[in-house]
Amino acid sequence: MIEWFRSRSPREQLVLASGMAVLFLVTLWLLIWEPLNERLGEYQARVAQQQTILLQLQQLAAEADQLGDRPDSGKARGDQSLLSLADRTVRAAGLAGALRRIEPDGERRVRLWLQQAPFDPLVAWLQSLTSDYGIQVFAANIDQGDSTGLVIADITLEDAP
């Protein structure tokens, strides 16, 4: 190969050497520099996204600290009983059609049975009971319903002491 190269005229050797140098640089660019540059951009975007999430979490933590200093959120319902609160909020959450039965279970508990209830609104309702009224889920038995996204639920709610 070297003999073949040396047998060429100096002008051809220059063109071949230049072509090889360009080919080497293009290969270096495509195989090393460009992938590294793309990864760097991806990592920078991920860092920015994580910083945004961190900022949001810090704001939520500050809000949670403020809420922790508030009086008991269970008192926000006034004199309303747990039974009437559960009934009113389950209907407000759009789960009235799924509600089959609701009854007291002792002094501080209420038991609800729901059939073919949409899962996402059910979970959102339970979360709002906890965050807005201080009501806890004492027990829950949730099974898959007849269709995707629907559940059969037997839930016992407990009032905060």
Side-chain angles (χ1 to χ4, degrees), residues 8 30 58 61 70 91 95 99 109 123 128 138 142:
R8 301 285 153 217
L30 291 175
Q58 288 171 339
R70 257 184 11 181
R91 294 178 192 286
L95 298 168
L99 183 63
R109 293 186 187 141
V123 172
S128 73
F138 178 75
I142 301 174

Side-chain angles (χ1 to χ4, degrees), residues 64-160:
D65 287 343
Q66 290 176 352
L67 290 175
D69 295 340
R70 257 184 11 181
D72 183 18
S73 61
K75 296 186 178 165
R77 68 179 194 230
D79 292 334
Q80 192 173 23
S81 72
L82 178 58
L83 181 66
S84 62
L85 176 73
D87 184 58
R88 180 179 59 81
T89 57
V90 79
R91 294 178 192 286
L95 298 168
L99 183 63
R100 292 297 169 250
R101 188 168 60 177
I102 182 170
E103 65 184 37
D105 185 16
E107 290 183 25
R108 295 181 36 230
R109 293 186 187 141
V110 169
R111 192 166 178 188
L112 299 100
W113 289 267
L114 295 107
Q115 293 283 327
Q116 305 307 321
F119 180 73
D120 290 339
L122 176 67
V123 172
W125 169 67
L126 292 172
Q127 191 278 330
S128 73
L129 283 176
T130 301
S131 63
D132 297 343
Y133 301 102
I135 306 299
Q136 298 297 317
V137 177
F138 178 75
N141 184 11
I142 301 174
D143 294 316
Q144 183 176 353
D146 293 339
S147 301
T148 303
L150 298 181
V151 295
I152 300 166
D154 175 4
I155 299 170
T156 303
L157 302 175
E158 183 175 53
D159 202 354

